[in-house]
Amino acid sequence: MSHLRYTAPLSVATVVSITAHVLVLSRMDPCFTPGEVSVCQSLSGLSISLFFISLFFVLISLFTLLGFLFRVWLVKGPAFAEFFSISLRQGLLLTFASVLCLFLLLFEVLTWWSGLLVVIVAFLLELYFATRP
C-alpha cells in the first residue's frame, strides 16, 4: 500500500481550502463602514467568521499533510494509517493554537505570555495523547 492513498485526497483538500481562503480574502470586506481611516471602525461578523473557518481548514490540511509527509520521509515504514492519525492529531492541535492566538490578536488581548500559555497547553495535550497506551 502506498502513501499516495493518503496524500492525494489530502493534497486536493489543501488546494481547495487554500482556494476558498484566497476567495474569502479577496472578495469579502470585513468593514461595515470604511471611513477615511485605514482601520475599520466596525467588523462584519460574516466575513470574520468565514475568514476563521477557511483559515482553520487551510491550516489543518496543511499541517496534517506536512506532518504526514515528514513522517513518511523520516521513517521508511508501512504504518501509513498510524502516521496519518498522529499527523491529523498534531495538525488539529497546531491549528487550534494558531487560530486561538489569531482570535486573541483580533480582540487585542494577545500578549507573549498568553500565546506561550496556548502553546504550552497544546504541547501538554500532545504529550498526554502521545503517552497514552
Side-chain angles (χ1 to χ4, degrees):
M1 191 177 300
S2 174
H3 64 79
L4 290 176
R5 178 179 176 211
Y6 296 97
T7 57
L10 195 54
S11 298
V12 170
T14 303
V15 169
V16 168
S17 63
I18 288 173
T19 305
H21 190 62
V22 167
L23 282 174
V24 166
L25 288 176
S26 65
R27 302 286 182 194
M28 300 290 287
D29 185 20
C31 297
F32 275 134
T33 56
E36 308 225 354
V37 191
S38 63
V39 178
C40 343
Q41 301 299 323
S42 60
L43 293 175
S44 166
L46 176 66
S47 61
I48 295 298
S49 300
L50 288 177
F51 171 78
F52 278 110
I53 290 169
S54 64
L55 181 69
F56 178 80
F57 285 116
V58 166
L59 290 179
I60 194 167
S61 60
L62 194 63
F63 286 151
T64 303
L65 182 65
L66 292 176
F68 180 75
L69 290 176
F70 182 71
R71 278 182 180 70
V72 167
W73 175 73
L74 192 64
V75 180
K76 307 286 192 231
F80 295 127
E82 183 179 338
F83 291 165
F84 184 76
S85 65
I86 292 170
S87 297
L88 183 62
R89 181 185 70 224
Q90 290 177 348
L92 254 167
L93 285 171
L94 282 171
T95 300
F96 278 130
S98 302
V99 170
L100 181 61
C101 284
L102 278 175
F103 195 71
L104 292 173
L105 187 64
L106 177 70
F107 288 111
E108 298 176 355
V109 293
L110 180 68
T111 58
W112 68 269
W113 54 269
S114 61
L116 184 65
L117 187 63
V118 168
V119 170
I120 288 173
V121 167
F123 176 75
L124 289 176
L125 279 170
E126 173 56 30
L127 194 64
Y128 170 74
F129 286 121
T131 57
R132 259 184 24 191

